Amino acid sequence: MQHILETQQFDRKALQDLFDVATSLEGKRDESLRGKILASLFYEPSTRTRFSFESAMYRFGGHVLSMENASESSSASKGETIEDTIRIVGNYADVIVLRHPEAGAAERAASVSKVSIINAGDGTGQHPTQAFLDLYTIQREIGRTDNFIIAFVGNLRYYRSARSLAYLLGKYDNVTMLFVSAPELSMGEDIKEYLREHKVKFEETPDLEGAMKRADVVYQTRVAKEWIPSDDEYQKLKDRYVIKRGMADLMKSGAILIHPLPRAGEIEVAVDDSPHAVYFRQAGYGVLIRMALLKLLLTNHK
Ligand code: CP
């Protein structure tokens, strides 16, 4: 595999291999990527994705070239295209981790790149490495990736991680998806069509409490201001599905509440010490998954 652009590239076996490598790397540091260089090229803000990739590279003894706010601080501000930037950065690094506001940007980058491109989020397209760590979290925390109910909550229309995870879960058996959102933020027709084709059960419902009582996994999302068409619409929608402590207490024993983070009020702080709240552990798993992905791309690891 040369590039990581979308979750559909991974089948069940590839995912399990990735997860096994991730688990084997817990607490490990070695020098297996000594001399290799990772360039992180971020045209959109990030805390978790950029730092966890960079931390993963350092844990393998590699080096990092890091550019945040690339729309302003790179030559994109002078009119350079993403294709030209990638051609140039490919001379300086062995792998490029790219976050960009336009859906399809990672694919455009890969089409001209001589080094591996990792899609770290492309607009409202996909965020595959987040979906891998979300699925890894599910496996670690509830002990299975088949036979469970997952409620996706909030911003399903514009939330690339939720879209990526829905694609991934289509590969597993007897997974039921509950889509809880306002009509303006409902899951996209492309995903629903994919789920119908793959005979994955899904229901759309406005009833958050009902979904939280049924689900083994609740996946909360942020009503991302940057992707909502207008501020009026954002103000109308942002507090529609806030998870409060009393709602978390309705969840089944062993059920988990996850969120890719950052949050912006959609899970109350009072939920953080609930036994169901695993979103901060989930962010920690990101380093393991990204270490495993770098091993996959940059070494002959099988
Ligand atoms: N979950 C996620 O992608 O977080 P960042 O935007 O902080 O990278």
Side-chain angles (χ1 to χ4, degrees):
M1 191 175 296
Q2 193 190 348
H3 307 292
I4 295 174
L5 304 178
E6 56 182 19
T7 52
Q8 295 94 311
Q9 288 172 260
F10 283 67
D11 60 18
R12 283 185 67 140
K13 178 172 181 325
L15 287 164
Q16 193 53 56
D17 289 349
L18 182 73
F19 294 170
D20 290 345
V21 174
T23 301
S24 76
L25 292 169
E26 194 152 21
K28 298 266 170 58
R29 286 169 195 249
D30 66 40
E31 297 286 308
S32 56
L33 297 185
R34 191 182 171 83
K36 299 279 188 194
I37 300 172
L38 175 150
S40 48
L41 195 52
F42 277 58
Y43 293 78
E44 282 185 340
S46 167
T47 299
R48 278 146 290 275
T49 311
R50 188 163 69 91
F51 270 14
S52 60
F53 265 115
E54 295 180 1
S55 175
M57 195 63 177
Y58 284 124
R59 285 167 200 236
F60 284 140
H63 305 279
V64 171
L65 301 173
S66 188
M67 185 173 295
E68 59 173 330
N69 200 12
S71 302
E72 289 172 25
S73 58
S74 78
S75 287
S77 66
K78 304 175 201 163
E80 186 169 67
T81 63
I82 184 72
E83 285 85 353
D84 282 359
T85 301
I86 293 294
R87 286 186 182 101
I88 301 306
V89 177
N91 293 311
Y92 311 147
D94 301 290
V95 57
I96 299 171
V97 180
L98 175 70
R99 173 170 289 187
H100 197 278
E102 289 169 26
E107 200 170 333
R108 281 170 54 202
S111 73
V112 297
S113 183
K114 63 182 179 187
V115 301
S116 292
I117 299 291
I118 300 177
N119 181 3
D122 61 335
T124 54
Q126 283 216 23
H127 190 353
T129 70
Q130 179 67 46
F132 299 150
L133 85 87
D134 295 339
L135 185 62
Y136 180 70
T137 302
I138 293 169
Q139 185 177 77
R140 279 190 69 138
E141 298 287 340
I142 71 166
R144 62 191 189 281
T145 47
D146 295 304
N147 304 313
F148 70 95
I149 299 175
I150 179 168
F152 287 93
V153 182
N155 177 6
L156 313 184
R157 174 76 49 94
Y158 300 110
Y159 214 78
R160 56 197 176 198
S161 316
R163 293 170 50 78
S164 290
L165 184 60
Y167 273 126
L168 267 191
L169 290 175
K171 301 172 191 297
Y172 292 85
D173 297 329
N174 194 27
V175 175
T176 299
M177 301 186 194
L178 310 176
F179 295 142
V180 185
S181 74
E184 297 90 329
L185 298 178
S186 62
M187 186 56 94
E189 269 310 316
D190 54 340
I191 302 280
K192 289 190 275 187
E193 195 49 43
Y194 174 89
L195 297 177
R196 285 186 201 104
E197 273 170 26
H198 290 77
K199 309 217 174 329
V200 180
K201 287 170 278 179
F202 69 88
E203 301 169 28
E204 296 185 280
T205 170
D207 177 12
L208 176 57
E209 288 196 6
M212 290 189 69
K213 286 179 192 164
R214 287 174 63 195
D216 301 288
V217 178
V218 176
Y219 183 107
Q220 175 63 306
T221 61
R222 181 171 58 93
V223 179
K225 190 177 185 173
E226 62 273 30
W227 298 324
I228 303 292
S230 72
D231 190 54
D232 282 354
E233 194 163 350
Y234 172 71
Q235 295 301 336
K236 189 177 85 177
L237 295 169
K238 72 182 173 63
D239 296 327
R240 182 77 62 88
Y241 287 110
V242 174
I243 294 181
K244 301 183 166 65
R245 178 59 192 240
M247 295 179 187
D249 291 342
L250 297 173
M251 292 172 71
K252 297 191 289 195
S253 170
I256 60 170
L257 172 58
I258 62 177
H259 188 316
L261 304 178
R263 67 176 157 183
E266 63 279 355
I267 298 179
E268 284 191 346
V269 171
V271 178
D272 292 356
D273 64 359
S274 159
H276 302 291
V278 304
Y279 29 90
F280 293 123
R281 280 208 293 284
Q282 177 187 2
Y285 295 147
V287 177
L288 299 180
I289 287 294
R290 287 164 178 139
M291 287 174 83
L293 288 168
L294 292 178
K295 271 237 188 244
L296 178 74
L297 289 178
L298 296 177
T299 71
N300 292 323
H301 182 89
K302 294 280 180 258

